[in-house]
Amino acid sequence: MSVAENLNRINLLIEENCRLADREKSAVKLLAVSKTKPIEAILAAYQQGQTAFGENYVQEGVEKILALQQLGIRPQWHFIGPLQSNKTRAVAEHFDWMQTLDRVKIASRLNEQRPPHKAPLNVLIQINISDESSKSGIPPSQMLSLAQHIVTMPNLCLRGLMAIPAATRDQHMQIAAFDAMAKLFQRLQQAYPTQNIDTLSMGMSDDMATAIRCGSTMVRIGSAIFGQRS
Ligand SMILES: *Cc1c(COP(=O)(O)O)cnc(C)c1O
């Protein structure tokens, strides 16, 4: 199947699952995860109306951003990979969103390095919801203290939370992790009622339907749009 066909199918699936969950279709945004995929694939999705793309690797992402910019194409770019502090500048300068924020040090650097002529960088706090030692993200207990630092930074805009729960086919475990994220998201919204905390980024190709039913506002879909990665 082509990227265009896959994209249409995913958009229909989002719509269907929103209906099942009694939610508006516009309540769930689609982030197309284009890591390792060529410019042509991104262009195909863009021409089909897809406007938000996610990249995991700084250098690869920046190369694609600049290549598309040369063609006059400027979608919304989300950084969704682990970020080392020596690579923050490229993210601050080129991306619109950073979804994997999990340290004050990275937040400070992004805040300092965000070019003044650009809108504040939208950020999500990454939560290690399944408590896996291999995963980045902070434990839920540290969410509010990190948020407290971020909201003082003028060049960052805190928009919500992101998580990558442990991979499992057990739907009860999927639901438990997503429900826990939805509760944390509510707590963050209650703590900052005047901030625009509107984004709960969870759900990938294999667990998108469950994530939407549990309250996700942004699903990050790679292989179901662009095919398996080698
Ligand atoms: C690769 C990746 C995705 C997309 O995964 P698929 O299973 O291909 O849909 C989503 N989120 C993050 C953080 C990723 O690294």
Side-chain angles (χ1 to χ4, degrees):
M1 284 229 268
S2 69
V3 165
E5 287 169 319
N6 286 338
L7 199 52
N8 286 341
R9 192 172 45 84
I10 293 294
N11 276 312
L12 286 174
L13 267 176
I14 292 174
E15 197 173 333
E16 167 76 7
N17 282 288
C18 282
R19 190 166 53 239
L20 288 173
D22 206 12
R23 303 177 64 197
E24 298 284 337
K25 187 194 189 280
S26 60
V28 180
K29 305 243 170 351
L30 172 59
L31 182 70
V33 177
S34 46
K35 64 182 177 208
T36 78
K37 298 296 178 183
I39 295 287
E40 293 72 36
I42 299 175
L43 269 176
Y46 184 82
Q47 280 156 2
Q48 200 63 24
Q50 177 62 30
T51 55
F53 293 87
E55 289 283 337
N56 286 55
Y57 310 101
V58 177
Q59 195 185 332
E60 178 190 339
V62 170
E63 280 168 14
K64 289 175 180 173
I65 291 170
L66 295 178
L68 284 163
Q69 209 163 278
Q70 295 268 302
L71 302 174
I73 292 172
R74 191 72 182 83
Q76 195 181 71
W77 290 101
H78 293 233
F79 186 76
I80 59 170
L83 183 59
Q84 295 164 336
S85 57
N86 61 349
K87 302 229 172 110
T88 51
R89 182 175 295 280
V91 171
E93 289 181 349
H94 295 289
F95 282 83
D96 305 296
W97 287 66
M98 152 59 172
Q99 295 207 4
T100 50
L101 197 50
D102 62 359
R103 270 175 292 163
V104 176
K105 181 181 173 193
I106 299 281
S108 308
R109 291 177 65 94
L110 291 169
N111 181 53
E112 280 161 22
Q113 294 166 345
R114 182 69 170 171
H117 65 274
K118 290 208 165 182
L121 180 67
N122 295 295
V123 299
L124 302 179
I125 295 175
Q126 184 180 0
I127 305 286
N128 185 356
I129 196 64
S130 305
D131 194 20
E132 295 173 284
S133 56
S134 61
K135 290 261 175 75
S136 32
I138 55 170
S141 60
Q142 291 172 21
M143 174 184 75
L144 288 175
S145 66
L146 180 54
Q148 194 56 50
H149 283 101
I150 295 170
V151 296
T152 66
M153 299 179 181
N155 300 319
L156 302 186
C157 180
L158 180 61
R159 298 291 293 271
L161 303 176
M162 177 271 206
I164 313 169
T168 170
R169 293 199 175 276
D170 179 342
Q171 223 201 347
H172 295 289
M173 285 181 66
Q174 285 179 359
I175 290 172
F178 290 143
D179 277 348
M181 284 301 300
K183 286 214 180 70
L184 280 174
F185 183 56
Q186 264 186 358
R187 202 180 303 159
L188 187 64
Q189 287 176 316
Q190 283 159 5
Y192 297 100
T194 61
Q195 303 259 335
N196 187 20
I197 310 275
D198 60 356
T199 304
L200 178 56
S201 170
M202 60 186 194
M204 318 206 303
S205 294
D206 291 336
D207 55 12
M208 181 186 94
T210 311
I212 291 174
R213 255 169 278 166
C214 294
S216 168
T217 75
M218 186 181 287
V219 288
R220 308 179 308 266
I221 309 296
S223 49
I225 296 174
F226 296 111
Q228 292 299 328
R229 291 175 293 274
S230 43

